[in-house]
Amino acid sequence: MERKRRFQTRQQYAEQKTKQTKFQKADKRLNYLIAIVAVLIVATLIFIITQEPEPKNEAEQDSPAEVATDVPEDDAGQETEDNETETKVPEEEVDEEDNATDETEQPTSESGDMVSPSNDPSVKEVITNPNWPAYPTAQTGEHVSTYEKGHIDYEEKLKAIFSVIDLQQENSIVLRVNNNGSTESAIAVVTSMDKEQKYRVSIEWVDNEGWKPVQIEVLTTLEGSQ
């Protein structure tokens, strides 16, 4: 009886051992399958991520804006020629406008003096200003122009001349004061004491007002000016 029990016990143990072994083998197979599936999933994800998109064909690469702005060569050329025709200005007209600007425009100072170059080599520049006032005269009656030193008319000529140049009469040299073509006009040449500043000034008589400066010539030399 005891032997029978032992035999049954051993048989049950063997069966249990066999079942356990089969279970372990099945478990290992399941783990292998899980590992293989995981590897396949990872490989698939990597493939999807790293896969480059297929290049677009030529029709897809052209943007709508570029397609819409395509213009036949003949039409584009015609349009360009039309634009050039509308905007192009004849060179002769441009030259004439530039020359007219050069001749009419003169630099002006804050006081309104207009400065222009001179063709005379002895004259550096010519200065004019229509707003220069006449030096107020103290003369009465009919005006008589004179070049006698000390005479009121002569002294007023000098006052008018020095009113428009950067020299003081008492610190200057008056080289000449002469008639300038009529009894109502005069011209004078004056310099600084060192003769570095040299001017030739033209004045005109204005009835009931006095002698009015009309032009200043800044001289480069005194030769021929006296």
Side-chain angles (χ1 to χ4, degrees), residues 158-221:
L158 296 181
K159 296 294 184 183
I161 290 166
F162 281 98
S163 69
V164 291
I165 60 176
D166 294 330
L167 292 177
Q168 299 295 324
Q169 183 175 348
E170 59 273 15
N171 296 321
S172 304
I173 302 173
V174 180
L175 296 177
R176 71 178 177 94
V177 182
N178 300 105
N179 179 290
N180 195 26
S182 73
T183 58
E184 304 302 316
S185 65
I187 189 168
V189 175
V190 297
T191 73
S192 58
M193 299 298 289
D194 56 8
K195 296 188 178 180
E196 290 296 322
Q197 295 175 269
K198 300 173 281 291
Y199 302 98
R200 183 163 55 202
V201 185
S202 300
I203 57 176
E204 291 181 353
W205 174 260
V206 179
D207 288 337
N208 302 319
E209 294 185 24
W211 287 102
K212 173 182 173 64
V214 293
Q215 178 178 278
I216 303 171
E217 294 173 285
V218 181
L219 302 176
T220 58
T221 180

Side-chain angles (χ1 to χ4, degrees), residues 10 12-13 20 34 39 69 71 89 108 113 145 149 156 159 168 176 184 186 188 201 213:
R10 288 178 181 176
Q12 290 176 354
Y13 177 77
Q20 186 176 5
I34 292 173
V39 171
T69 55
V71 180
V89 180
T108 59
D113 295 350
S145 179
K149 291 183 180 181
E156 288 182 351
K159 296 294 184 183
Q168 299 295 324
R176 71 178 177 94
E184 304 302 316
V201 185

Side-chain angles (χ1 to χ4, degrees), residues 31 44 54 56 68 82 108 132 141 158-159 173 191 194 222:
N31 289 336
T44 302
E54 294 182 1
K56 295 181 180 180
D82 293 342
T108 59
W132 282 332
L158 296 181
K159 296 294 184 183
I173 302 173
T191 73
D194 56 8
L222 293 175

